[in-house]
Amino acid sequence: MRERFVEWRPRIDDAIEDLVPRVVEETYLGEFFGEATYQYQAEAIQAALADPLWDLLDRGGKRWRAILLLVIVEALGEDPEEHLSFACIPEILHNGTIIVDDVEDGARKRRGREALHQVFGTDIALNAGNAMYFIPLKVIDRNADVLSDSQRLQAYEMLTHELNRTHLGQGMDIYWHNQKAVTVNEQRYYEMCACKTGCLARIVARLAAIVTDQPDEVEHDLAAYAEEMSIAFQIGDDILDIEHTLDQAGEFGKEFGNDIREGKKTLMVIYTAQHAPAEQVARLEEILWAEDNTDEEIIEAIDIMQSVDALEYARERARELAASARGHLDDLELEPEAESDLREFTRFVIEREA
Amino acid sequence: MRERFVEWRPRIDDAIEDLVPRVVEETYLGEFFGEATYQYQAEAIQAALADPLWDLLDRGGKRWRAILLLVIVEALGEDPEEHLSFACIPEILHNGTIIVDDVEDGARKRRGREALHQVFGTDIALNAGNAMYFIPLKVIDRNADVLSDSQRLQAYEMLTHELNRTHLGQGMDIYWHNQKAVTVNEQRYYEMCACKTGCLARIVARLAAIVTDQPDEVEHDLAAYAEEMSIAFQIGDDILDIEHTLDQAGEFGKEFGNDIREGKKTLMVIYTAQHAPAEQVARLEEILWAEDNTDEEIIEAIDIMQSVDALEYARERARELAASARGHLDDLELEPEAESDLREFTRFVIEREA
């Protein structure tokens, strides 16, 4: 990550702290959420919202959604410093989805520690995660002095559209996960990625365009860039999981092959299901569906995928998507340095090693 | 419930079906959520959204939030028929919160059957519940032909405001629930009700005002009416739980004293904690905190509350709130029949017997 992005990270956290402070007081509650009819209780909201939110954020995360928004703003010729509060929107949304996803999956770990619902209880964690879906919407309202009525309405309609599709994507992913047979086709896999991962990236891009008052075509091109980059990122992530498995297999004490253990229907699995002989496909489905897997089964599953060159196919598709994402930038008039960063991101998402 | 409200109920369900049909097809998905970039999968969204939503709705529920919206619209001199899609907004939101609350509480039952996450799995149920937070926002966008830009912006900002406060109220309630000692005061209890239950009722009232283009004062008065009625309803609900317990105690095979078993910090508990002798309060806290309760403990807890006339106190407060709610209607120019219904609701919420 470039030096200046690293410098932005604490600034982004400061901006998030302006929205949800680490120490909650009643004056903040009245100011941010509107006056109480009777009386708020700061310590309850501290425990129910601020503590879980900061526990998760302080564990790490690159804040790349916020950074991407700031780079796009810069590419559009505006000052990123003035748009820090908008950069918090996709970042808080993203961390909210992490908490909710972990409850949905019954996950035990997150960023190297216990999942939030394990630490705080499902009730507190889930309510905090859901609050993090609505706090970002408040940011639009709070910026009525810098955004016109029309910009705020555009932002709300955009967020409504993208957050609805996020839930469609998650629904498709869960549905496939709950089935043994691999029935998904490639187009639907891309759609799931476009909805589940892509919509948050589209929020990043479209919000940057809306708050800087761009024409519709610019917003559209930036959204398409962000969406395709996200799909490439998702495929890249799945390839990385297999590559790590191949590197680590046999090393003492290391758990590997997480995606296979979880039974994830990745692009490689889908491709294999369509190109390998029926009995190999059946065996792959069996391994993916099993409650537990031996290390040998993990290797066997990868061998089946390798037998039809599924990794190579996925890598090729990710490269094509990344190239197509870059193509959406071609017609835009962007600041050269920031544009070069935007292009660099599309390479990074598939070439990275961790 | 009056005859005409009963007649509205199937109309409301038809309107919800227009938003989320019982049978999902790809054409609907493209029309409602926007064209797919690649390809949706109707059967996945059927299983992940339509099936859980309709499973819950078909179990019953009076749809009173939708009905209240239609009555307010009528009171304001407009035709309820034309506002059915808006009436779906609070109804879908409410049913979404039910699914999410049941996951948060680890509830086993809902409307006489297994809780949704027990039937569909936590992943599907929770994603559907959360989708039901965002589908209603789509209704605003979809009505761009009948709502002006300014009305849509007002609606989004109102929904953002109220849905944020809903999560504050839920956070306060969970926080108290997770503590043994009763530290809540009355003002904060009312605030919790105003946020957790009241905000959805405020959405009903404010939305009715916004879509019929009322002045701010009218929206404000209607919101205050709805909020106070909700708090009265909540207190009435808690009184009813105790009254049922007193009626049923000793009857063979009936489970009773649910609120005490759950350790709910009701207004009666809070009042008792402030007015009973310290050792009685300690005993009450012990019974509320215990994992399980015997029937004798339930009766003992009620006796402690009765010793300071906590039920009578709560009933009196509910009556005051209901009267105050009616007072907010005094300055409004409303259609007489519908106004009389609105006043009747405030009596029903505390006098009902089930």
Side-chain angles (χ1 to χ4, degrees), chain A residues 8-27:
Chain A
W8 277 349
R9 199 181 174 289
R11 308 290 308 280
I12 293 162
D13 283 15
D14 288 347
I16 297 175
E17 253 189 272
D18 285 343
L19 302 174
V20 183
R22 288 174 186 273
V23 179
V24 171
E25 289 169 6
E26 287 200 18
T27 47

Side-chain angles (χ1 to χ4, degrees), chain A residues 171 175, chain B residues 24 41-53 120 124-125 128:
Chain A
Y175 177 72
Chain B
V24 171
Q41 185 176 26
E43 70 184 76
I45 306 306
Q46 176 79 45
L49 175 61
D51 287 349
L53 182 146
F120 293 92
I124 291 281

Side-chain angles (χ1 to χ4, degrees), chain B residues 104-273:
Chain B
E104 289 178 1
D105 300 344
R108 302 184 61 82
K109 293 280 175 186
R110 173 58 65 178
R111 292 178 185 159
R113 290 179 47 201
E114 284 196 302
L116 268 275
H117 61 279
Q118 305 268 6
V119 178
F120 293 92
T122 299
D123 48 4
I124 291 281
L126 186 48
N127 188 59
N130 275 175
M132 288 158 75
Y133 289 180
F134 291 104
I135 287 169
L137 302 184
K138 261 283 181 204
V139 179
I140 305 301
D141 190 9
R142 282 165 60 90
N143 279 279
D145 53 337
V146 293
L147 299 179
S148 67
D149 286 3
S150 153
Q151 283 173 304
R152 297 205 311 286
L153 180 58
Q154 277 178 66
Y156 280 119
E157 295 195 333
M158 179 277 285
L159 287 162
T160 294
H161 176 78
E162 303 297 345
L163 291 170
N164 266 288
R165 290 191 66 208
T166 304
H167 287 85
L168 288 193
Q170 177 74 348
M172 286 166 77
D173 199 23
I174 295 169
Y175 178 72
W176 302 334
H177 187 261
N178 292 345
Q179 291 187 317
K180 181 173 179 178
V182 181
T183 57
V184 201
N185 67 27
E186 262 188 70
Q187 292 300 301
R188 283 169 173 159
Y189 176 79
Y190 298 138
E191 186 65 32
M192 183 278 285
C193 295
C195 289
K196 186 180 158 162
T197 319
C199 283
L200 255 176
R202 289 174 57 91
I203 287 173
V204 168
R206 296 183 68 186
L207 196 57
I210 290 169
V211 300
T212 59
D213 222 356
Q214 304 298 320
D216 287 349
E217 316 82 74
V218 174
E219 182 180 335
H220 184 270
D221 282 342
L222 289 168
Y225 155 82
E227 181 175 301
E228 291 195 326
M229 181 164 68
S230 296
I231 305 173
F233 172 88
Q234 189 57 63
I235 297 172
D237 215 47
D238 297 340
I239 295 171
L240 217 54
D241 183 86
I242 299 283
E243 284 175 343
H244 281 177
T245 297
L246 291 171
D247 287 350
Q248 293 174 356
E251 277 184 46
F252 181 75
K254 285 213 178 165
E255 170 124 319
F256 58 90
N258 290 329
D259 286 355
I260 295 171
R261 287 181 206 275
E262 284 172 22
K264 240 175 121 174
K265 309 291 195 295
T266 64
L267 178 58
M268 292 163 287
V269 169
I270 293 161
Y271 182 82
T272 305

Side-chain angles (χ1 to χ4, degrees), chain A residues 26 33-41 43-45 47-48 100 103-104 122-124 126-127 130-131 133-135 137-138 141 149 152-153 156-157 160-161 163-165 167-168 170-172 174-176 178 185 187-188 190-191 194-195 227-228 231 321, chain B residues 26 33-41 43-45 47-48 100 103-104 122-124 126-127 130-131 133-135 137-138 141 149 152-153 156-157 160-161 163-165 167-168 170-172 174-176 178 185 187-188 190-191 194-195 227-228 231 321:
Chain A
E26 287 200 18
F33 292 101
E35 284 309 312
T37 310
Y38 300 91
Q39 190 184 15
Y40 288 126
Q41 185 175 26
E43 70 184 75
I45 306 307
V100 174
V103 174
E104 289 177 0
T122 300
D123 48 5
I124 291 279
L126 186 47
N127 188 60
N130 275 175
Y133 288 179
F134 291 104
I135 288 170
L137 303 185
K138 262 284 181 203
D141 191 8
D149 286 5
R152 296 202 316 284
L153 180 59
Y156 280 118
E157 295 194 334
T160 295
H161 176 78
L163 290 170
N164 265 290
R165 289 191 68 208
H167 287 84
L168 288 194
Q170 178 74 349
M172 286 165 76
I174 295 169
Y175 177 72
W176 301 335
N178 292 345
N185 67 26
Q187 292 300 301
R188 283 170 172 160
Y190 298 138
E191 187 64 31
C195 289
E227 180 175 301
E228 290 193 327
I231 305 172
L321 281 158
Chain B
E26 287 200 17
F33 293 101
E35 283 310 311
T37 310
Y38 301 90
Q39 190 184 14
Y40 289 126
Q41 185 176 26
E43 70 184 76
I45 306 306
V100 174
V103 173
E104 289 178 1
T122 299
D123 48 4
I124 291 281
L126 186 48
N127 188 59
N130 275 175
Y133 289 180
F134 291 104
I135 287 169
L137 302 184
K138 261 283 181 204
D141 190 9
D149 286 3
R152 297 205 311 286
L153 180 58
Y156 280 119
E157 295 195 333
T160 294
H161 176 78
L163 291 170
N164 266 288
R165 290 191 66 208
H167 287 85
L168 288 193
Q170 177 74 348
M172 286 166 77
I174 295 169
Y175 178 72
W176 302 334
N178 292 345
N185 67 27
Q187 292 300 301
R188 283 169 173 159
Y190 298 138
E191 186 65 32
C195 289
E227 181 175 301
E228 291 195 326
I231 305 173
L321 281 158

